[in-house]
Amino acid sequence: MKKVLAALLVSVFVLGACSSGNEKKDASGDKTEKSELVSDYKTVYATDIETLDYTFSSRQTNSDHYTNFVEGLLENDRYGNLKADMAESWEVSEDGLTYTYHIRKGVPWVDSEGNEYGADVTAHDFVTGLKHAADTQSETLYIVANSIKGLADYVAGKTDDFSKVGVKAVDDYTLQYTLNKPESYWNSKTTYGILYPVNEEFLKSKGKDFGKPTPDSILYNGAFILSNNTAKSVIEYTKNESYWDLDNVHLDTVKYTYNDGSDPDGLFKSYEKGDLSAARVYPNSPGYKDVQKAYPDGVTWSQTGGSTYNMTFNFNRGTFDATKKTTDKQKESTHKAILNRDFRLAVLFGFDKKSYNAQTVGDEGANTSLRNTLVPGEFVSIDGKPYGDTVQSKLQALDKEAFGDVKLADGHDAYYNADKAKTYIEKAKEELEGEGVEFPVHLDLPVQETSEMSVNAMKSLKNSIEKSLGSENVVVDINLLNADKYLAATYQATTGQAGDYDISTASGWGPDFTDPSSYLNIYDSRAGDMIHTLGLEASSIVQGKDPSTDAKKAIKLSEYDALLDKASAITDDVNARYTAYADAEAWLLDNALQVPIYSDGGTPRVTNVVPFSAPYGWAGIAANKLKYVEVQSDIVTTEQHDKAQKAWEAKKEETAKKAEESSSK
């Protein structure tokens, strides 16, 4: 799983390459053959790299970079299939418990100057990497701690002998993992940083400096080397000339320039000058007419992806540095209201997500990326039908009055209903006034003040909730914060007590492996990696008394834990396992602990990247590599994009069938 920063803050997360100029504005749709390829890529970023310790961090704002520097056993191809990377081949034992990988020989580690370090990547490096992750209490241990035999005991301190953990180097180029129980999705976990290799000698030489956000803090075996990282300024890569698969690396240099979102139209201007390879464009902005005039056939839309962005409630707020509340009574009233299910349902049904999304993508694409579940409905299948169909039927069965007419498919707002919102706020108000709650309830909502589009989106959220519920009942207080304070209060907060908000849309979640648990375990009250975004603490890591115990009881989170345990225990029947996870997700939606808003992607841009040349995948971080990406000197037209998409979809379906046939033999 990976924590992702809300896309509203990211001015452009679209692949593209810079050109030597954009003179050919009327180029044909067959651009791939006719447009010259270029070898540099220029884009922007909104959040600095916090760490390069790829075995430790769960944040996409870090992994988007280090997945280009270090590689693991497997990677994604263009069609979402897993393929050989550091592992040339592998076998699985008949009982599904032992995975044996044959490591590619002769792949050198290199330093930040591109010089070979004097050692090749070996099986021992993967053992070292996992031990380092365990010893540093990696943010991503949840991915493998209960999977690899003996690892949970080592992490918990029940043993200090790492040799008892189910990972070993059989020899220099043979790596073996032993699992506690079969996991049909295990190989997809190998694309995540916690299972990447670390050279032991280098790790010892660096000590606590390993993984600091400087180029020389890690060794490289990936396609690129970090050459410059200057906070709130620039991040630069150069191609690793010692990389084992140079034929598939088409970029020589990569440059990210810091952008705080204060000038959305400035992105297109930079693209026009050749300073950016691609640019998000904003249909609601004054400058959009210039985009349409310059490139009437050049605005294309990115694919929607596996990340889901949410509005989360803070059930046990502990920090009030950014608040418009003026009395303790207001704080107490908000706390009690958020713990009330009817109040949360009122907010759910009163939030116009389409209007919210339209602030950044315009009315034309406002529905495209809307998502109504945490796990995408098409993520997996149950008896040949989308997983989301089962979630929908189970949700409707839990509460027909609230959800009987709700359709959970992506691409529309399943919940917005002002009449329902009024019904539930009245129900909540009757109960809450009996508990001494003071109305209107004030909800603090932080936003980064420099991001014009984010501010507009929060104004839309405020308007729809106050209009639906009545401002005499609920007031959304928008708190404008600078970038550092905003991130500290939301995305970068590592404990529930540090979250400084009542509701927040700052972050979301993307899966690390192809199983619903990769999404749903994040709110496990005992060890969920995103439980802190709900203002709660993971009980397994709390020192002393858990300050969120009462809040967990109030929202009956133990019921959710039990559903997760039931699903996790099913390992011999995929359909039964996914159905059990659908029960857990239906519970989550029925209790409105968070509100799914939209997916990643589904945004308009102008770009020079050759369509569908990048790797693809629902889960992990390998799909974010710049390896394989091809870029052209001219803009991608809608005709070129649509033609490429049709061919890609056909090839994707073909390769998926082949993979299914191969696995069934």
Side-chain angles (χ1 to χ4, degrees):
M1 310 171 204
K2 54 181 179 290
K3 187 176 182 181
V4 289
L5 181 65
L8 294 180
L9 284 181
V10 184
S11 302
V12 53
F13 262 17
V14 289
L15 290 173
C18 104
S19 64
S20 55
N22 294 313
E23 297 86 0
K24 298 181 182 179
K25 298 178 183 178
D26 59 348
S28 73
D30 200 19
K31 189 79 78 164
T32 309
E33 286 105 25
K34 295 186 178 181
S35 183
E36 183 179 330
L37 296 181
V38 297
S39 60
D40 52 346
Y41 172 92
K42 296 179 183 178
T43 186
V44 298
Y45 75 102
T47 305
D48 289 327
I49 299 173
E50 295 174 273
T51 179
L52 290 174
D53 189 342
Y54 44 88
T55 71
F56 179 84
S57 176
S58 66
R59 286 171 171 77
Q60 186 179 13
T61 45
N62 298 318
S63 65
D64 273 346
H65 297 289
Y66 60 60
T67 192
N68 287 293
F69 307 147
V70 184
E71 298 194 343
L73 297 168
L74 306 179
E75 65 178 4
N76 297 86
D77 68 12
R78 292 173 56 197
Y79 307 104
N81 304 302
L82 291 174
K83 64 184 291 289
D85 193 354
M86 285 295 97
E88 286 188 298
S89 62
W90 60 93
E91 301 95 37
V92 186
S93 63
E94 287 189 12
D95 61 7
L97 296 179
T98 304
Y99 283 71
T100 303
Y101 298 92
H102 302 284
I103 306 302
R104 190 179 303 278
K105 295 180 180 179
V107 178
W109 286 111
V110 301
D111 63 20
S112 58
E113 300 297 323
N115 301 312
E116 294 192 8
Y117 180 71
D120 290 346
V121 178
T122 69
H124 303 284
D125 297 331
F126 289 87
V127 178
T128 298
L130 184 60
K131 185 177 186 300
H132 172 68
D135 290 343
T136 58
Q137 293 291 307
S138 168
E139 293 176 346
T140 57
L141 276 170
Y142 55 83
I143 299 174
V144 296
N146 293 319
S147 300
I148 300 173
K149 186 177 179 180
L151 181 56
D153 284 346
Y154 182 84
V155 171
K158 294 180 180 179
T159 176
D160 59 2
D161 185 358
F162 193 76
S163 68
K164 293 182 179 180
V165 176
V167 58
K168 67 177 180 179
V170 178
D171 56 43
D172 285 351
Y173 294 100
T174 307
L175 176 70
Q176 195 171 85
Y177 291 99
T178 303
L179 308 185
N180 288 315
K181 56 187 178 182
E183 292 184 0
S184 59
Y185 46 88
W186 167 259
N187 268 338
S188 64
K189 291 187 175 184
T190 67
T191 67
Y192 209 80
I194 194 169
L195 294 181
Y196 282 6
V198 175
N199 179 275
E200 184 176 14
E201 180 184 355
F202 182 81
L203 178 65
K204 288 180 178 178
S205 72
K206 284 295 179 181
K208 293 182 179 180
D209 288 337
F210 179 80
K212 285 192 172 182
T214 58
D216 63 353
S217 71
I218 60 171
L219 292 179
Y220 302 77
N221 72 324
F224 297 96
I225 295 168
L226 179 65
S227 57
N228 182 18
N229 178 35
T230 304
K232 290 185 175 56
S233 179
V234 66
I235 300 169
E236 294 178 291
Y237 312 167
T238 57
K239 182 165 65 176
N240 176 7
E241 297 293 348
S242 297
Y243 182 57
W244 71 271
D245 193 20
L246 280 176
D247 287 346
N248 284 310
V249 183
H250 308 294
L251 302 172
D252 292 334
T253 60
V254 175
K255 182 178 182 180
Y256 288 80
T257 301
Y258 180 73
N259 187 287
D260 64 5
S262 60
D263 182 17
D265 287 335
L267 294 170
F268 176 68
K269 294 174 183 176
S270 294
Y271 173 79
E272 280 277 75
K273 292 189 294 183
D275 294 337
L276 290 179
S277 308
R280 263 288 303 271
V281 293
Y282 299 88
N284 290 346
S285 69
Y288 190 63
K289 63 181 184 300
D290 297 328
V291 179
Q292 293 177 306
K293 181 179 179 180
Y295 303 106
D297 62 347
V299 176
T300 57
W301 291 74
S302 61
Q303 286 180 290
T304 56
S307 294
T308 301
Y309 296 90
N310 308 300
M311 182 181 76
T312 55
F313 292 97
N314 190 330
F315 292 99
N316 194 46
R317 185 173 176 181
T319 302
F320 290 88
D321 292 332
T323 184
K324 287 189 168 68
K325 293 180 175 61
T326 56
T327 67
D328 288 340
K329 182 66 174 177
Q330 288 181 339
K331 295 176 183 178
E332 179 188 355
S333 293
T334 299
H335 176 62
K336 289 181 177 179
I338 287 175
L339 291 177
N340 184 283
R341 175 179 178 263
D342 287 333
F343 180 85
R344 298 195 301 274
L345 288 178
V347 174
L348 171 70
F349 292 126
F351 177 19
D352 185 348
K353 299 192 299 186
K354 180 181 178 182
S355 294
Y356 175 90
N357 206 28
Q359 303 309 308
T360 57
V361 299
D363 292 334
E364 177 188 354
N367 275 322
T368 303
S369 61
L370 291 185
R371 178 161 290 162
N372 300 302
T373 52
L374 181 57
V375 183
E378 303 285 340
F379 184 61
V380 293
S381 298
I382 300 176
D383 290 321
K385 296 181 180 179
Y387 162 86
D389 291 358
T390 300
V391 176
Q392 178 176 296
S393 64
K394 289 181 176 294
L395 176 62
Q396 292 172 344
L398 284 173
D399 190 337
K400 187 175 181 180
E401 179 184 354
F403 300 106
D405 59 347
V406 164
K407 307 297 182 185
L408 294 179
D410 285 356
H412 77 117
D413 188 342
Y415 304 108
Y416 179 54
N417 185 315
D419 291 336
K420 280 188 185 180
K422 288 181 173 65
T423 297
Y424 281 98
I425 194 61
E426 289 306 318
K427 289 176 65 176
K429 190 172 184 179
E430 182 178 355
E431 182 177 348
L432 290 169
E433 283 185 329
E435 298 175 11
V437 168
E438 179 181 277
F439 284 83
V441 171
H442 285 262
L443 298 174
D444 284 320
L445 172 66
V447 63
Q448 184 173 318
E449 61 189 358
T450 57
S451 177
E452 177 184 331
M453 294 299 169
S454 295
V455 172
N456 289 341
M458 300 314 153
K459 288 179 179 178
S460 172
L461 185 157
K462 172 182 171 68
N463 179 65
S464 68
I465 289 178
E466 291 182 0
K467 183 177 180 181
S468 298
L469 307 186
S471 57
E472 72 278 12
N473 295 318
V474 178
V475 172
V476 177
D477 291 317
I478 297 174
N479 293 303
L480 301 173
L481 304 176
N482 65 38
D484 290 340
K485 288 184 178 180
Y486 174 77
L487 291 171
T490 56
Y491 179 74
Q492 291 176 350
T494 57
T495 66
Q497 292 289 285
D500 198 2
Y501 53 85
D502 296 316
I503 55 175
S504 171
T505 62
S507 59
W509 195 256
D512 298 318
F513 50 92
T514 50
D515 186 71
S517 63
S518 188
Y519 288 94
L520 298 174
N521 284 350
I522 65 174
Y523 296 134
D524 184 322
S525 74
R526 300 153 297 186
D529 197 66
M530 289 284 275
I531 195 73
H532 65 280
T533 65
L534 303 181
L536 309 174
E537 312 296 345
S539 56
S540 63
I541 62 173
V542 172
Q543 301 295 320
K545 183 181 178 181
D546 180 355
S548 58
T549 296
D550 291 342
K552 289 177 182 177
K553 288 181 179 178
I555 60 176
K556 302 177 181 179
L557 201 52
S558 61
E559 294 181 6
Y560 183 65
D561 294 344
L563 292 169
L564 293 177
D565 290 345
K566 179 182 177 181
S568 177
I570 302 172
T571 61
D572 57 352
D573 185 336
V574 170
N575 288 322
R577 178 182 176 87
Y578 294 167
T579 299
Y581 275 116
D583 280 316
E585 177 149 23
W587 186 97
L588 188 68
L589 297 172
D590 180 53
N591 285 276
L593 298 193
Q594 45 84 58
V595 179
I597 305 177
Y598 58 89
S599 70
D600 57 324
T603 54
R605 75 276 170 94
V606 288
T607 181
N608 290 48
V609 73
V610 175
F612 302 96
S613 61
Y616 173 82
W618 278 108
I621 61 176
N624 298 328
K625 291 181 180 181
L626 295 176
K627 178 183 176 180
Y628 299 110
V629 171
E630 294 181 328
V631 295
Q632 56 191 46
S633 59
D634 301 320
I635 193 170
V636 172
T637 64
T638 54
E639 182 181 354
Q640 180 193 358
H641 178 273
D642 293 347
K643 179 180 177 181
Q645 181 171 358
K646 188 175 181 180
W648 178 83
E649 288 173 346
K651 187 69 173 178
K652 182 173 178 290
E653 183 177 355
E654 176 189 331
T655 60
K657 286 181 179 179
K658 287 182 179 178
E660 185 176 349
E661 291 170 358
S662 176
S663 64
S664 64
K665 290 179 180 179

